[in-house]
């Protein structure tokens, strides 16, 4: 298993480990252990080893290491990497020209000292919550390979959860970071809409798309986000100075139904630790989820319509049909969805005049089985693929930052069929308050209320 972000960067800075040796070890780990996980689509061996050798030479010459010195990472296969075709998980893009430069987010991480080593599996064109890809196969959950990893950034979450990589990059339109982070038991961040650059990232629905990192601890996630959020790497470590006395409330109503009993208990413990019983019921949550569906379908469908007209057979049939349906939506409902979105966003932003943090579940419970991908909602079985975003999709409309955090390992109820599978929550803050979220995450992890160890893989 690879070391965490901070631990590995400190070893590189102290010269107790050579970057080249660390990168070789990571590449070897991926080669030996990903075959049953299927999180990785391409290994960037030549580029990674050349970057490692250059960084070793720089450090040996007395150069000042960056905050992510020598740390390997992987990227969801919709980030541009110079010289490589960006497939966005689809055979439809297999013959497009290679990227001429790295995505800006990757450039920022490299400036901080990190080294890209792999591209990672995803739902085709980021349209899904399960990472079952007709072209690249299914990514398994490292805690139980018979279960879903979540998506669409499933390879990004699973590679970190399995200890193949210290951190990774994913994207989140309606929950594609938060859902797999929850199911795989890692930390993930959906930043404020527009906070991180999308240059060189293949789009899905531009008015909702965000990118963000995955890591195994809140402190590691904080360090990576700091590098992503600026063109000038900062060497100062994360602190807890942004927490103070926070006004915390739980989202009720829609967000309090259909919860796994251990998830309910974990949220209750968090509320008790924060010294509050305050519950907020957001207005019109079901309409918000419907609006997110409409906007995503319409924008995604229209983005792909020209290619669908000429090369529809190159798409996964399930993705193709949803994109075509979205492209055929009449303008009226889509316009109404955007109008509703503005109203809903203002309603949530208004709540942050009285509260600093909102707590909600990330998914209703643990990862469903691949062979029986079903959730039980209101006593009825429903398809997991369409409903794993039940709690993430409405929040996406508001454009606010959301930290997906794993609950500690639970003493599961004796009647549950999923012993010790991860459960995750969302911590939600006002726009621009990522530092507050991450600092709170660090504090709650140290208190033992959030966080869980990596999967025992393989």
């Amino acid at each position: 298993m690879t070391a965490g972000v901070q631990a590995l960067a400190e070893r590189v800075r102290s010269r107790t480990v050579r970057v080249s040796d660390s990168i070789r070890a990571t590449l070897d780990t991926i080669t030996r252990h990903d075959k049953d996980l299927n999180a990785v689509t391409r290994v960037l061996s030549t580029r990674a080893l050349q970057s490692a050798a250059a960084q070793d030479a720089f450090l040996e010459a007395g150069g000042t290491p960056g905050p992510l010195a020598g740390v390997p990472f992987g990227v969801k296969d919709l980030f541009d990497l110079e010289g490589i075709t960006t497939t966005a998980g689809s055979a439809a893009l297999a013959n497009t020209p290679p990227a001429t430069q790295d995505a800006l987010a990757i450039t920022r991480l490299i400036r901080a000292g990190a080294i890209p080593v792999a591209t990672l599996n995803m739902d085709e064109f980021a349209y899904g919550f399960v990472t079952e890809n007709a072209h690249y196969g299914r990514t398994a959950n490292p805690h139980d390979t018979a279960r879903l990893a979540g998506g669409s950034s499933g390879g990004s979450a699973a590679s970190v959860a399995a200890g193949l990589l210290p951190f990774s990059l994913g994207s989140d339109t309606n929950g594609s970071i938060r859902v797999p982070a929850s199911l795989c038991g890692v930390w993930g961040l959906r930043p404020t809409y527009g906070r991180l650059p999308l240059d060189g990232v293949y789009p899905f629905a531009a008015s909702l798309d965000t990118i963000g990192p995955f890591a195994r601890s809140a402190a590691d996630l904080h360090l990576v986000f700091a590098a992503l959020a600026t063109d000038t790497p900062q060497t100062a470590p994360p602190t807890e100075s942004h927490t103070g006395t926070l006004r915390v409330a739980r989202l009720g109503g829609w967000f309090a139904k259909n919860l796994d009993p251990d998830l309910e208990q974990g949220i209750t413990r968090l509320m008790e630790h924060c010294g509050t019983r305050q519950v907020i019921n957001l207005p019109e949550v079901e309409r918000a989820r419907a609006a997110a569906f409409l906007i995503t379908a319409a924008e995604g469908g229209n983005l792909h319509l020209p290619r669908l007209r000429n090369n529809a057979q190159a798409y996964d049939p399930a993705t193709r049909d949803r994109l075509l349906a979205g492209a055929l939506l009449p303008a009226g409902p889509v316009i109404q969805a955007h109008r509703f979105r503005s109203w809903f966003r203002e309603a949530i932003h208004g709540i942050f005049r009285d509260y600093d943090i909102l707590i909600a579940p990330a998914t209703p419970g643990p990862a469903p089985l691949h062979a029986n991908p079903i959730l039980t909602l209101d006593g009825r079985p429903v398809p997991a693929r369409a409903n794993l975003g039940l709690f993430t999709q409405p929040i996406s409309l508001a454009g606010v930052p959301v930290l997906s955090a794993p609950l500690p390992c639970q003493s599961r109820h004796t009647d549950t069929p999923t012993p010790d599978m991860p459960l995750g929550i969302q911590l939600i803050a006002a726009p621009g308050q990522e530092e507050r979220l991450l600092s709170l995450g660090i504090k709650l992890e140290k208190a033992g209320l959030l966080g869980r160890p990596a999967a025992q893989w393989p």
Side-chain angles (χ1 to χ4, degrees):
M1 178 187 296
T2 58
V5 176
Q6 290 189 86
L8 182 54
E10 288 169 4
R11 291 177 193 172
V12 169
R13 282 194 293 270
S14 66
R15 307 303 291 145
T16 58
V17 64
R18 296 183 74 252
V19 178
S20 296
D21 293 338
S22 174
I23 294 298
R24 285 193 188 93
T26 298
L27 295 172
D28 180 63
T29 296
I30 292 171
T31 300
R32 289 188 292 113
H33 298 314
D34 183 59
K35 56 184 181 298
D36 295 321
L37 190 64
N38 196 37
V40 175
T41 54
R42 282 172 294 196
V43 180
L44 312 175
S45 299
T46 300
R47 171 175 175 162
L49 290 170
Q50 288 175 347
S51 298
Q55 196 165 142
D56 278 330
F58 173 76
L59 294 172
E60 288 166 5
T64 302
L68 302 179
V71 179
F73 70 100
V75 301
K76 187 176 182 177
D77 198 9
L78 47 61
F79 287 83
D80 284 352
L81 287 158
E82 183 179 358
I84 293 176
T85 295
T86 305
T87 72
S90 179
L93 299 183
N95 295 321
T96 56
T100 58
Q101 61 185 15
D102 293 336
L104 181 52
I106 294 175
T107 299
R108 288 181 175 181
L109 292 171
I110 291 170
R111 286 174 183 164
I115 296 176
V117 300
T119 60
L120 304 169
N121 202 12
M122 58 182 286
D123 286 292
E124 185 181 49
F125 292 116
Y127 208 166
F129 284 126
V130 293
T131 311
E132 290 187 349
N133 190 296
H135 314 293
Y136 297 102
R138 176 179 70 95
T139 294
N141 191 310
H143 295 272
D144 180 352
T145 57
R147 298 186 179 275
L148 300 176
S152 63
S153 307
S156 300
S159 60
V160 172
L164 303 185
L165 297 168
F167 79 92
S168 64
L169 286 185
S171 67
D172 188 310
T173 303
N174 275 319
S176 287
I177 288 173
R178 291 163 286 162
V179 168
S182 174
L183 298 187
C184 290
V186 295
W187 296 78
L189 178 68
R190 175 193 166 96
T192 304
Y193 176 75
R195 178 74 188 270
L196 296 184
L198 293 172
D199 311 59
V201 180
Y202 197 91
F204 176 21
S207 68
L208 293 170
D209 288 347
T210 60
I211 61 169
F214 294 85
R216 292 196 297 271
S217 74
D220 281 356
L221 197 73
H222 197 169
L223 195 61
V224 175
F225 175 74
L228 285 167
T230 178
D231 282 319
T232 305
Q234 305 295 313
T235 56
T239 69
E240 298 175 30
S241 60
H242 296 271
T243 55
T245 301
L246 298 178
R247 300 165 298 171
V248 177
R250 174 183 178 173
L251 294 184
W254 178 273
F255 298 93
K257 298 189 298 182
N258 300 298
L259 300 189
D260 178 276
D262 286 322
L263 177 56
E264 175 66 41
Q265 288 183 12
I267 293 175
T268 298
R269 281 192 292 271
L270 281 173
M271 295 291 287
E272 290 173 350
H273 179 82
C274 294
T276 180
R277 297 181 179 179
Q278 186 65 48
V279 177
I280 299 293
N281 290 320
L282 295 182
E284 301 283 5
V285 178
E286 193 166 4
R287 287 183 66 192
R289 187 180 180 221
F293 267 123
L294 271 173
I295 293 169
T296 301
E299 292 189 14
N302 279 277
L303 173 68
H304 286 273
L305 188 57
R307 185 176 290 109
L308 285 166
R309 284 179 172 141
N310 297 312
N311 193 23
Q313 297 309 309
Y315 286 70
D316 177 340
T319 307
R320 178 188 65 223
D321 292 349
R322 283 179 290 159
L323 289 171
L324 285 169
L328 294 174
L329 284 170
V334 179
I335 292 171
Q336 291 301 318
H338 278 286
R339 288 175 177 167
F340 174 82
R341 175 190 182 181
S342 296
W343 176 86
F344 186 74
R345 180 174 55 210
E346 289 305 312
I348 291 185
H349 289 191
I351 292 172
F352 289 113
R353 287 192 288 268
D354 299 314
Y355 296 95
D356 301 303
I357 301 291
L358 302 177
I359 299 175
T363 55
L369 288 164
H370 165 65
N372 185 33
I374 295 297
L375 299 177
T376 300
L377 301 181
D378 298 328
R380 297 183 298 109
V382 297
R385 185 166 188 161
N387 290 283
L388 278 168
L390 180 74
F391 299 135
T392 59
Q393 287 164 308
I395 304 302
S396 298
L397 282 187
V400 295
V402 188
L403 178 63
S404 183
L407 291 174
C409 297
Q410 304 289 319
S411 176
R412 307 283 293 172
H413 288 68
T414 56
D415 59 348
T416 180
T418 53
D420 203 28
M421 288 299 293
L423 299 167
I425 64 160
Q426 299 179 87
L427 298 176
I428 308 160
Q433 293 299 316
E434 287 85 357
E435 291 291 329
R436 173 175 282 169
L437 279 177
L438 290 162
S439 296
L440 177 61
I442 293 170
K443 182 177 180 180
L444 293 174
E445 188 172 29
K446 288 181 176 179
L449 293 160
L450 293 175
R452 62 176 289 140
Q456 297 300 308
W457 185 264

